[in-house]
Amino acid sequence: MIETIATTPYDDQKPGTSGLRKKVPHFRQPHYAENFIQSIFDAAGSDGGETLVIGGDGRFYNREVILIAIRMAAGNGYGRVIVGQGGLLSTPAASNLIRKRGASGGIILSASHNPGGPDGDFGIKYNIANGGPAPEKITTAIFEKSKAITRYRTWTETAPDISRLGETKLGDMVVEVVDPVADYASLMEELFDFEKIRDLVASGFTLRFDAMHAVTGPYATEILQNRLGAPAGSVINGTPLEDFGGGHPDPNAVHAATLINQMMSEKAPDFGAASDGDGDRNLVMGRGIVVSPSDSLAVLAANAHLAPGYAVGIAGIARSMPTSRAADRVAEARKIGIYETPTGWKFFGTLLDAGKVTICGEESAGTGSNHVREKDGLWAVLLWLNILAERRESVKSVLESHWTEFGRTFYQRHDYEEIDSEVAGELMGSLHDRLASMAGQRFGTLVVSEADDFSYKDPVDGSIATGQGVRIVFSGGSRIVYRLSGTGTKGATLRVYIERYEKDPAKRDQNPAAALKELIDTADVIGEIKKRTGRTAPDVVT
Ligand code: VG1
Ligand code: CO
């Protein structure tokens, strides 16, 4: 029976870059999750009888909220929910299921790279019928609904057991529990030449994939070990844990340090990779080299035609604004479209749906294609493996020949975490105030050619997003970008993105910190970071 429960609004349910993220105790306040889920349903609207996909990254509190969401779906007239067994679905696998099964949307429970556990982070995200994150029009509507909510609807009986595969019913609604991996793994088999990759692995090519105790473990084990023949032990930390083993499932220099160190050692495997909490991001490494995510996007775009799924070539590339322009040089050379969007995958959906782009990527180690409407960590790993299987070269040699052909874009992102929100706001405010007078100013050898706050008009649906990050461009094309993170749950995180293009192959082997030295120093001068925050160095450099 449908039950209507009275509730009162919370005023802080505004989705950020990727859904609503808060600390677990915050989510455990009375009706907090219910309010947000009802606001999603209210914003999405329904004629009744639709299909909804539900899954999450397995973090602490995942199961509880999944059971709440199933009952509320029944209470709100859905005809069927498709749930990953045990409540697990990686973000790209959820996107695939939404598309494949013609669902009207999906609820993905994840705070991605943020740590989990009773005091860790939790998140809820809504994806629409194309499989992609809800666009701003819908996230704004969800927030508006959440501020005015007076009741939510649920189903009287409790949700069925989600640990067993198969169909059961909750009222009139079918609850279908599916293998989280199967459909995703077949999609990967369609896109990539598994036989070629198997041959590569059989020839002695070694790999290590760190699933960081998060959701990708079962996917990587099935695909890399069972289907592609990598020996047991190639996938490490492959069992999803509610607290990610106490770790921070972010595949960057700090949190994936163990694997990075192994890759730099004498006994390194040929290929190394790691993924984040919900499986949508990736870090790719070769023996003795870490591929910067912006370079990875460029290399994947330049070589995608080597994989069967992209053999006809790619229509275009989209990258988020702070992502380096390495991909732009590929697009220019191949005479295909290049689009610059705000941060967050929700801005790629219209371009992918319209067929304007095939491959998208972000500097934060997210890459993906039109096969789903999310970034996809394992997809990137498999495309790399397919490229290596075709070219029979090392990761390092693929990257170096890319730099020789296109030039090298030196790039770093500096994160200052948990700074005081007010201080962060003032820092950005001061940058805004100085934007108009910035052009022509000189900093050492650097002269500002343009400075603005990035706004985006979606070329497909005309929607506009403003305030997407401060860009300072210098003559010659070097660039510093400042923006505040929209995924944190404590204080503010300032991200500073620094880039410089080097065409001369003789200068391409420098270390990025050295190649970017003057820009890094200038980023502090212009951003007044030390002066305002007291921080003398970033917490994370990627
Ligand atoms: C970060 C990344 C962004 C990514 C987002 C969600 O956002 O910078 O590129 O799309 O996380 O990724 P922000 O606002 O903190 O910079 V995930 O893997 O957390 O869903
Ligand atoms: Co993620």
Side-chain angles (χ1 to χ4, degrees), residues 307-379:
Y310 308 93
V312 296
I314 58 173
I317 312 169
R319 61 161 175 83
S320 67
M321 182 275 282
T323 304
S324 100
R325 285 167 296 179
D328 300 33
R329 311 201 190 273
V330 174
E332 224 167 88
R334 300 285 157 85
K335 301 196 169 30
I336 54 174
I338 176 84
Y339 296 84
E340 183 177 48
T341 61
T343 295
W345 214 260
K346 60 186 166 203
F347 294 102
F348 293 136
T350 51
L351 297 170
L352 289 163
D353 284 350
K356 290 185 179 296
V357 301
T358 308
I359 288 193
C360 306
E362 295 190 278
E363 51 62 42
S364 54
T367 19
S369 86
N370 58 355
H371 68 292
V372 288
R373 292 293 181 274
E374 281 282 3
K375 49 196 185 289
D376 187 345
L378 258 179
W379 170 89

Side-chain angles (χ1 to χ4, degrees), residues 17 21 112-113 276 280-281 362 364 483 485-487 495:
T17 311
R21 291 189 194 177
S112 190
H113 54 277
D276 72 335
D280 57 0
R281 292 194 286 126
E362 295 190 278
S364 54
R483 63 178 280 280
S485 156
T487 56
R495 303 201 197 281

Side-chain angles (χ1 to χ4, degrees), residues 97-144:
L97 274 177
I98 294 170
R99 295 168 67 75
K100 197 165 166 183
R101 300 293 306 274
S104 64
I107 290 182
I108 304 176
L109 307 178
S110 171
S112 190
H113 54 277
N114 301 19
D119 298 312
D121 290 352
F122 192 76
I124 303 182
K125 185 167 94 134
Y126 181 63
N127 282 28
I128 57 172
N130 75 352
E136 296 224 304
K137 187 171 78 217
I138 296 181
T139 55
T140 306
I142 295 172
F143 182 45
E144 292 307 320

Side-chain angles (χ1 to χ4, degrees), residues 69-404:
I70 294 174
R71 286 175 71 192
M72 288 184 61
N76 280 273
Y78 280 90
R80 174 181 291 264
V81 290
I82 301 174
V83 190
Q85 188 175 22
L88 291 185
L89 277 180
S90 76
T91 291
S95 182
N96 179 45
L97 274 177
I98 294 170
R99 295 168 67 75
K100 197 165 166 183
R101 300 293 306 274
S104 64
I107 290 182
I108 304 176
L109 307 178
S110 171
S112 190
H113 54 277
N114 301 19
D119 298 312
D121 290 352
F122 192 76
I124 303 182
K125 185 167 94 134
Y126 181 63
N127 282 28
I128 57 172
N130 75 352
E136 296 224 304
K137 187 171 78 217
I138 296 181
T139 55
T140 306
I142 295 172
F143 182 45
E144 292 307 320
K145 296 282 182 193
S146 78
K147 287 189 290 189
I149 193 167
T150 56
R151 53 88 192 106
Y152 69 85
R153 278 192 293 269
T154 186
W155 193 260
T156 319
E157 286 77 39
T158 51
D161 182 7
I162 53 167
S163 64
R164 275 206 311 269
L165 294 175
E167 292 190 2
T168 43
K169 280 197 128 181
L170 186 62
D172 291 334
M173 185 182 80
V174 178
V175 179
E176 179 184 350
V177 178
V178 299
D179 176 343
V181 178
D183 287 338
Y184 177 83
S186 356
L187 175 63
M188 294 300 116
E189 291 222 38
E190 282 166 32
L191 297 175
F192 302 115
D193 191 339
F194 271 38
E195 216 173 294
K196 269 241 161 74
I197 305 175
R198 253 195 307 271
D199 288 348
L200 176 74
V201 171
S203 73
F205 176 94
T206 50
L207 63 92
R208 188 159 305 147
F209 181 94
D210 188 348
M212 302 187 96
H213 297 296
V215 79
T216 328
Y219 296 85
T221 306
E222 172 61 21
I223 294 172
L224 300 175
Q225 296 188 177
N226 300 350
R227 300 197 187 192
L228 293 171
S234 300
V235 175
I236 55 171
N237 302 321
T239 306
L241 299 176
E242 283 197 333
D243 65 348
F244 309 119
H248 198 135
D250 197 346
N252 64 24
V254 171
H255 303 295
T258 318
L259 182 60
I260 293 179
N261 291 337
Q262 285 171 4
M263 293 306 298
M264 296 303 145
S265 77
E266 293 270 298
K267 282 184 261 144
D270 296 297
F271 184 85
S275 63
D276 72 335
D278 59 332
D280 57 0
R281 292 194 286 126
N282 71 90
L283 175 68
V284 165
M285 292 161 274
R287 183 178 295 129
I289 199 158
V290 176
V291 184
S292 114
S294 294
D295 276 345
S296 183
L297 170 66
V299 170
L300 293 179
N303 292 278
H305 59 278
L306 298 176
Y310 308 93
V312 296
I314 58 173
I317 312 169
R319 61 161 175 83
S320 67
M321 182 275 282
T323 304
S324 100
R325 285 167 296 179
D328 300 33
R329 311 201 190 273
V330 174
E332 224 167 88
R334 300 285 157 85
K335 301 196 169 30
I336 54 174
I338 176 84
Y339 296 84
E340 183 177 48
T341 61
T343 295
W345 214 260
K346 60 186 166 203
F347 294 102
F348 293 136
T350 51
L351 297 170
L352 289 163
D353 284 350
K356 290 185 179 296
V357 301
T358 308
I359 288 193
C360 306
E362 295 190 278
E363 51 62 42
S364 54
T367 19
S369 86
N370 58 355
H371 68 292
V372 288
R373 292 293 181 274
E374 281 282 3
K375 49 196 185 289
D376 187 345
L378 258 179
W379 170 89
V381 167
L382 291 167
L383 180 49
W384 262 100
L385 290 174
N386 201 146
I387 292 166
L388 297 176
E390 283 290 340
R391 291 182 51 162
R392 293 284 174 150
E393 282 174 65
S394 67
V395 171
K396 194 166 186 193
S397 133
V398 168
L399 197 56
E400 288 177 349
S401 61
H402 186 93
W403 292 336
T404 304

